[in-house]
Every structure is written in structure tokens, then in C-alpha cells.
Amino acid sequence: EPEVTQTPSHQVTQMGQEVILRCVPISNHLYFYWYRQILGQKVEFLVSFYNNEISEKSEIFDDQFSVERPDGSNFTLKIRSTKLEDSAMYFCASSRGANQPQHFGDGTRLSIL
Amino acid sequence: QKEVEQNSGPLSVPEGAIASLNCTYSDRGSQSFFWYRQYSGKSPELIMFIYSNGDKEDGRFTAQLNKASQYVSLLIRDSQPSDSATYLCAVKKDTDKLIFGTGTRLQVFP
């Protein structure tokens, strides 16, 4: 069964450094998403991406964050200058259509020191 | 008022019993409803989705939606120890984002 893949599984970074989290969505899916989950808290929406542009973003997704689809398969989340509070699990998801179920990857655990 | 509310649990049921998980939501404009299972340290895994009032069954799982009461539930029949996990209710309006509840932890004991 096709799945969303994310790399790396764990990223440790010094505060203030830039990180790029990578995702390969399911191949015939058109909508891509990033969510995060701080330890012990609920899953929170960050951003959605369709047709090579952001279609929706949350208040969390400030100027430190950006997303990109650099080629036909990858979808990336960049955090420009990481803060301690960025430590969380980051999940990429994709869906076939706007109202179709979203399927999640295994996540990247981001630890900011 | 939280947008999506779930009892955090744990809900403990014996093996073979029916587990009933409940979720309420605040926005009447909500259109799509999803149940995800999340094992500790893992990602959310889609279990069921429902768009219309009534019941939807898939194997041992039944999702129930009552839009008038703003209530969605998940029934797990013949519960197994492997069903022990946190069950996340997620709601979608006419936007892209899923709004998650905090989850209900289910424990199935042998």
C-alpha cells in the first residue's frame, strides 16, 4: 500500500540553525500538509499546499517557516532559525483531493538544543 | 470551548468487548469527520471517516455521526490488546486543515 515517507526520522539541531524536513507524498495525491505534535499535546495544523502554492496556513506558520515542492516528488518544510519551542514531531500528510482523507507519514522528531 | 473534545481516558475494556469512543465538536459548519489511531511515539493512522449522518461500518469498526447533536463516535467490536492506543477524533470544515482532539487512550486487557 502506498505511503507517505519522511526523512530524517530524528533531527537534532542547535537553536538558531536552519532545518529542512523532507517528505515524499503518495504519488497520485495532489494536496500536501504539514502538522506538528508537541510531546503530550494534540496534533496541530501548520500548512497546506496545492498546485505549487500554499492554500492555507495556521498562526503557527510564521515567517520562520516555509514550504517547497522542489521537484515532482519531494515536499519540504524549512524552519529558518529554530527555537527551543520548535521541538516536536512533524508530520507530513497528503490526500488525493481537498475533501479526501489525509494520510500521514511516520514523522520527524525535531529536537532543538 | 474546545473545537473538538474527547475524554482523555484511559478507557479500559476487556478483550472481546465493545469499546465506545466519543467526540463532540463545536462548529456546526463541520463537514467531515475522521478517526485516527496513534500508537505511542508513532504517527496518526486513519481508521475511519464519515461525512453523513448515521452509521458507517468497516470490519470491526463503526463510526457514528449525529450532526444535530454535534457528536461523532467510534465503536470497536471484539476489542483486541493490539487495539490499545490513543484514538484521535479529527474534524474538517470547508478549509484544508484537520482539527484534532486531544485523543482518548484505550486499553484492552486480556
Side-chain angles (χ1 to χ4, degrees), chain A residues 31 33 35 37 41-45 48-50 55-56 58 89 91 98-107 109, chain B residues 2-4 31-32 34 36 38 41-46 49 51 88 92-102:
Chain A
Y31 288 77
Y33 314 85
Y35 290 82
Q37 187 175 30
Q41 298 186 23
K42 64 181 182 179
V43 178
E44 299 174 289
F45 171 80
S48 59
F49 193 86
Y50 169 70
S55 54
E56 186 179 349
S58 71
M89 281 289 288
F91 296 112
N99 292 313
Q100 297 297 307
Q102 297 177 21
H103 297 267
F104 284 70
D106 287 342
R109 179 172 299 283
Chain B
K2 292 180 184 176
E3 290 188 272
V4 179
Q31 298 177 352
S32 312
F34 304 86
Y36 287 83
Q38 187 174 34
K42 302 296 184 182
S43 65
E45 176 192 4
L46 182 68
F49 59 94
Y51 301 140
L88 308 178
K92 190 173 178 295
K93 297 184 276 192
D94 60 353
T95 62
D96 293 343
K97 67 180 180 183
L98 291 174
I99 303 167
F100 282 86
T102 52

Side-chain angles (χ1 to χ4, degrees), chain B residues 11-22 35 60-64 73-80 83-85 87 104-109:
Chain B
L11 172 67
S12 293
V13 300
E15 184 174 357
I18 296 175
S20 177
L21 302 155
N22 304 314
W35 284 100
R60 296 188 296 114
F61 300 98
T62 298
Q64 299 175 316
S73 65
L74 178 70
L75 301 179
I76 306 175
R77 287 180 297 282
D78 188 24
S79 296
Q80 301 297 308
D83 294 327
S84 298
Y87 288 80
T104 298
R105 189 157 63 96
L106 172 67
Q107 294 178 336
V108 182
F109 56 91

Side-chain angles (χ1 to χ4, degrees), chain A residues 11-79:
Chain A
Q11 175 79 48
V12 182
T13 301
Q14 292 286 332
M15 186 173 60
Q17 296 297 303
E18 174 184 286
V19 293
I20 298 176
L21 309 183
R22 304 183 191 279
C23 169
V24 179
I26 296 172
S27 62
N28 63 347
H29 285 191
L30 301 177
Y31 288 77
F32 316 122
Y33 314 85
W34 284 101
Y35 290 82
R36 78 172 185 190
Q37 187 175 30
I38 295 170
L39 187 63
Q41 298 186 23
K42 64 181 182 179
V43 178
E44 299 174 289
F45 171 80
L46 293 177
V47 66
S48 59
F49 193 86
Y50 169 70
N51 201 26
N52 281 321
E53 60 183 25
I54 291 173
S55 54
E56 186 179 349
K57 59 183 181 179
S58 71
E59 293 172 353
I60 303 168
F61 194 88
D62 62 21
D63 292 343
Q64 295 298 317
F65 291 87
S66 62
V67 289
E68 192 180 29
R69 188 154 164 83
D71 53 44
S73 58
N74 289 284
F75 178 51
T76 62
L77 174 69
K78 181 193 289 187
I79 309 175

Side-chain angles (χ1 to χ4, degrees), chain B residues 1-5 23-31 33 53 65-72 89 91:
Chain B
Q1 184 183 15
K2 292 180 184 176
E3 290 188 272
V4 179
E5 292 210 53
C23 171
T24 58
Y25 59 94
S26 60
D27 192 330
R28 286 194 174 275
S30 301
Q31 298 177 352
F33 307 87
N53 273 331
L65 174 61
N66 183 326
K67 289 188 177 181
S69 300
Q70 295 175 241
Y71 173 96
V72 58
C89 174
V91 168

